[in-house]
Amino acid sequence: MLELYHASGSLCSQKVKLVLAEKNLEWKSHLLNLLTFDNLQPSYIQLNSKGVVPTLIHDGKVITDSAIIIRYLDEQFPHPKLTPAPPTLQEKMNSWINLQNEFPMREVMYGNYTGIEGFVLRRSIQIKQKLLSQLMQLNYELKEQYETKLNDVRKWNSTIQDVKKMTSLNAKIEPMLNQLEEQLSQTEWLCGATYSLADAMWTAVLNRLDELKFSYLWAENTRPALKLYLRQLKARPSFKTAIQSDKMPLPMLFAGLCRTFLCI
Ligand SMILES: N[C@@H](CCC(=O)N[C@@H](CS)C(=O)NCC(=O)O)C(=O)O
């Protein structure tokens, strides 16, 4: 009944997988390899015109964009309900979701990963640009989608190569965490006394910032409420199901590395 197109290590896929796990829903997996660009294949572009994961299929209906997907899941499968009932809290939840959505995590990730991981990700953007130009020539009926994607990837690439832009993006992380700290020093969860969709989204993001070594921003008691919050998020069974076990299968990793280093 539920099918999810997703990718290992994809932040946006993790948000949806967290909500599926919180709701204990069964789903059929379609695992894409972003390092071999499964997401750019014409058959997938026809499903998700932006060529990104995740995409949810529910009874034949195609839903794209993680923020839309998690709201959809909460409407269709309300047990447990992850949207607070009072309209004021719903507004609060939406503003936490929007704050996260408007933050360019993609650039923060691709620009800040170090070592081999950073090298592979940044090289994949170079290869992606070449591939998109080829795909655009080969699939005339999808020219518009590939052209939009190529322009987006070019912008993405120029941002992560630009030290000034990256410094200014990184500087926006701390004020965002201050907003979280202020809220979490008053309430256990972002929208009050109960866990909501906003908490699921922020689980994936805070965990990713942790992986990117930004955890010094909540270490040494600088942001104690945030630190405790992340500990509680990580203790939930959904974290184990959706994030801890989100490892790329070795054959996929191998194919991805071959593509990155040998361009095949
Ligand atoms: N706004 C979209 C963004 C999706 C997105 O950027 N997904 C990334 C993985 S987290 C992706 O597919 N990247 C591959 C690409 O852009 O080529 C959402 O929230 O679903």
Side-chain angles (χ1 to χ4, degrees):
M1 193 163 69
L2 283 171
E3 296 180 44
L4 184 70
Y5 288 78
H6 62 112
S8 309
S10 143
L11 181 70
C12 304
S13 303
Q14 287 178 349
K15 294 172 192 171
V16 173
K17 287 189 260 185
L18 278 162
V19 172
L20 288 164
E22 286 286 340
K23 291 179 177 287
N24 227 341
L25 291 169
E26 302 231 331
W27 49 280
K28 182 174 171 193
S29 163
H30 297 278
L31 184 61
L32 303 192
N33 189 344
L34 298 185
L35 291 178
T36 53
F37 313 104
D38 292 347
N39 55 314
L40 302 182
Q41 290 311 310
S43 56
Y44 188 68
I45 295 282
Q46 275 156 358
L47 209 55
N48 184 316
S49 63
K50 293 189 174 159
V52 291
V53 284
T55 300
L56 182 80
I57 316 259
H58 178 219
D59 288 343
K61 189 170 170 186
V62 179
I63 306 124
T64 59
D65 197 286
S66 57
I68 297 176
I69 297 175
I70 60 174
R71 287 188 175 103
Y72 176 86
L73 286 172
D74 204 40
E75 272 168 33
Q76 298 285 322
F77 304 95
H79 304 294
K81 190 76 183 154
L82 298 180
T83 302
T88 50
L89 290 184
Q90 283 179 19
E91 260 174 49
K92 205 182 209 0
M93 184 181 92
N94 289 336
S95 56
W96 284 120
I97 290 179
N98 294 342
L99 175 75
Q100 197 286 297
N101 251 347
E102 282 153 19
F103 191 75
M105 272 307 285
R106 178 180 80 165
E107 283 73 9
V108 166
M109 285 189 288
Y110 278 70
N112 284 302
Y113 266 115
T114 53
I116 182 144
E117 216 162 353
F119 175 83
V120 168
L121 289 178
R122 288 186 281 278
R123 177 130 171 87
S124 80
I125 301 201
Q126 310 292 337
I127 304 174
K128 203 188 297 245
Q129 291 179 77
K130 271 195 214 152
L131 181 64
L132 281 166
S133 305
Q134 290 165 3
L135 285 165
M136 199 157 68
Q137 311 289 328
L138 291 171
N139 300 277
Y140 195 74
E141 67 295 353
L142 295 171
K143 181 174 184 283
E144 207 181 305
Q145 290 88 327
Y146 282 126
E147 204 164 25
T148 309
K149 178 90 188 167
L150 180 58
N151 289 335
D152 180 49
V153 176
R154 282 187 178 136
K155 256 201 250 160
W156 174 9
N157 188 40
S158 94
T159 304
I160 64 168
Q161 307 285 346
D162 186 327
V163 178
K164 253 193 180 165
K165 276 193 190 157
M166 282 312 299
T167 310
S168 116
L169 276 188
N170 287 342
K172 290 187 181 149
I173 297 175
E174 217 169 335
M176 192 169 73
L177 298 184
N178 286 342
Q179 289 188 56
L180 289 169
E181 179 67 17
E182 200 187 324
Q183 177 67 50
L184 296 166
S185 51
Q186 295 165 43
T187 55
E188 185 178 0
W189 306 105
L190 289 175
C191 300
T194 48
Y195 179 96
S196 74
L197 294 177
D199 299 299
M201 273 187 107
W202 280 94
T203 304
V205 174
L206 291 171
N207 176 62
R208 189 54 58 99
L209 289 174
D210 197 353
E211 278 177 21
L212 289 167
K213 315 241 181 322
F214 283 102
S215 52
Y216 71 91
L217 292 172
W218 57 83
E220 308 293 344
N221 265 355
T222 41
R223 292 181 179 81
L226 180 62
K227 189 175 176 179
L228 176 66
Y229 173 66
L230 184 56
R231 199 182 304 148
Q232 280 171 337
L233 293 173
K234 287 188 174 184
R236 294 178 81 84
S238 61
F239 183 81
K240 196 170 182 195
T241 315
I243 298 191
Q244 266 179 341
S245 56
D246 184 23
K247 303 271 180 277
M248 195 179 215
L250 279 179
M252 269 196 172
L253 180 62
F254 183 69
L257 292 177
C258 287
R259 186 71 187 254
T260 309
F261 290 103
L262 309 172
C263 252
I264 47 172

